[in-house]
Amino acid sequence: MIRPVLLATTIMVMPALASAQGLEFDGSVTVGANFNSTDILGTSVTLNGYSFDFDGDVHFNESFSVGVGANMNTGNLEITGIGGDLNVDLMSFYLEPQYNFGNGGYAGAYLRMNDLDLGLLGPINIGIDTTSYGVFGGYDFGQGHVEVFYGMTDLDDPNGVLTTLDVTDFGISGAYEVMPNLEVFGSVMRTNIDITPITISATTYSVGAEYDLGNGFDIYGAVGGANLDLSDLGAPSDITAVGLTLGGSYDLSASGSLPVVLSAEYSRTNLDLDVLVPGLSPEIDRFALGVTIPIGNGSTTPLNSNTRTARGEYRSALESVLNSF
């Protein structure tokens, strides 16, 4: 089980350890809040919570670096008419060693661990742990990059039911700087869950852009969707989702203040759950606020943004969906 102490230890130790060893460390930290709301068959459902994200790279030399990151999301799911809230906690940790070949090409491996805990009514608790591992490679051509990855995910739960699943993940992502103040990016990811002879496939696709307005102001956004293929189960249709995210940020250092970035964004996701209940198509509204602190030459992009899927920052279609709320 991944515990909050692991997250706190990583954030405090990594920059100090890198500095002590004479290594270069670049990264960022984002503290955020998010507010999700929807209406399902006349019942109001809300999921409000807080997040703490850390992402960085330890550079050993020009060729070798190790990416490290961790995050903690905690929230309360409230359903009108049902007494008591559902506590939802998601904690993650990852390592990504990477080797740069000097001609723009690079390759590496990744290890990502997720711990999802659901606190139900009374003393009932459900915990699901996932461990993803695999390889990735790409090419950086100066104005942008393209990258592919392939790996597997092991699932674990107290009852041992999920350990029988065979899960594979693969995807492609890329980014291109159209002009000095405009970048476009996108990704496609797929997760196959095999339960012989049945396969359930989850696919996500997303494209986005970020525009630098100058004077510390940025605007960004993304559009995308997700599809859960249930055809092997005999379902007449799939579960689908289409989403839109719009946001903006302001870097306080542009006005001579502290190196802190403030951000706010809005997302709307339209779900098609007709295969479960005819006519069920809820819309989920999400508002997110963030305070990001760059470390070294770290990115000023908020780590709690829903554009991270389009930026190709996940290694699993399911992981990207979980982190979108």
Side-chain angles (χ1 to χ4, degrees):
M1 301 289 284
I2 304 172
R3 300 300 179 188
V5 66
L6 177 59
L7 175 62
T9 301
T10 300
I11 295 172
M12 292 186 295
V13 170
M14 289 304 300
L17 181 61
S19 178
Q21 298 298 320
L23 307 176
E24 181 182 345
F25 180 86
D26 298 318
S28 60
V29 173
T30 296
V31 179
N34 57 82
F35 311 92
N36 299 270
S37 62
T38 187
D39 185 274
I40 301 177
L41 300 177
T43 300
S44 176
V45 180
T46 61
L47 174 61
N48 301 325
Y50 303 92
S51 61
F52 197 94
D53 295 85
F54 166 77
D55 180 79
D57 292 284
V58 179
H59 301 276
F60 290 83
N61 50 50
E62 293 184 356
S63 299
F64 183 68
S65 62
V66 176
V68 59
N71 81 287
M72 179 174 63
N73 294 276
T74 181
N76 292 320
L77 179 66
E78 182 178 352
I79 303 175
T80 301
I82 298 179
D85 297 343
L86 170 67
N87 297 317
V88 182
D89 297 313
L90 175 64
M91 287 172 279
S92 306
F93 175 78
Y94 70 83
L95 288 172
E96 292 194 354
Q98 175 179 310
Y99 185 82
N100 299 309
F101 296 102
N103 59 355
Y106 62 90
Y110 67 87
L111 172 67
R112 305 177 76 97
M113 296 178 289
N114 295 284
D115 177 9
L116 176 63
D117 290 318
L118 305 176
L120 304 179
L121 299 176
I124 303 175
N125 287 278
I126 298 176
I128 300 175
D129 295 343
T130 67
T131 301
S132 300
Y133 49 90
V135 295
F136 64 89
Y139 181 71
D140 190 331
F141 50 88
Q143 284 185 280
H145 73 275
V146 61
E147 180 178 300
V148 296
F149 75 89
Y150 180 85
M152 293 169 284
T153 296
D154 294 333
L155 299 95
D156 187 23
D157 68 285
N159 298 318
V161 176
L162 299 181
T163 58
T164 62
L165 304 182
D166 184 12
V167 183
T168 56
D169 308 295
F170 52 94
I172 183 171
S173 63
Y176 182 71
E177 189 179 90
V178 180
M179 56 183 71
N181 56 348
L182 175 62
E183 181 186 41
V184 295
F185 40 84
S187 75
V188 178
M189 290 179 287
R190 188 179 180 93
T191 295
N192 291 334
I193 305 173
D194 293 318
I195 319 169
T196 307
I198 297 172
T199 299
I200 300 174
S201 300
T203 304
T204 62
Y205 48 91
S206 184
V207 295
E210 181 173 359
Y211 187 79
D212 183 357
L213 296 172
N215 298 318
F217 290 96
D218 283 1
I219 56 174
Y220 57 84
V223 293
N227 180 83
L228 186 63
D229 185 350
L230 304 175
S231 58
D232 277 7
L233 296 178
S237 61
D238 301 337
I239 294 176
T240 61
V242 177
L244 166 70
T245 293
L246 295 173
S249 64
Y250 176 64
D251 189 343
L252 294 179
S253 65
S255 59
S257 186
L258 298 174
V260 174
V261 179
L262 306 179
S263 61
E265 69 179 45
Y266 167 73
S267 299
R268 165 161 284 195
T269 302
N270 297 313
L271 295 174
D272 184 351
L273 304 176
D274 188 72
V275 68
L276 301 178
V277 178
L280 182 58
S281 301
E283 296 179 341
I284 302 175
D285 294 306
R286 175 183 184 267
F287 294 92
L289 303 173
V291 178
T292 300
I293 303 174
I295 303 173
N297 294 317
S299 172
T300 58
T301 301
L303 297 176
N304 66 332
S305 173
N306 265 356
T307 61
R308 295 191 72 182
T309 297
R311 297 176 188 274
E313 297 185 12
Y314 299 112
R315 303 296 187 192
S316 163
L318 294 179
E319 182 184 4
S320 69
V321 171
L322 283 176
N323 281 280
S324 65
F325 300 106

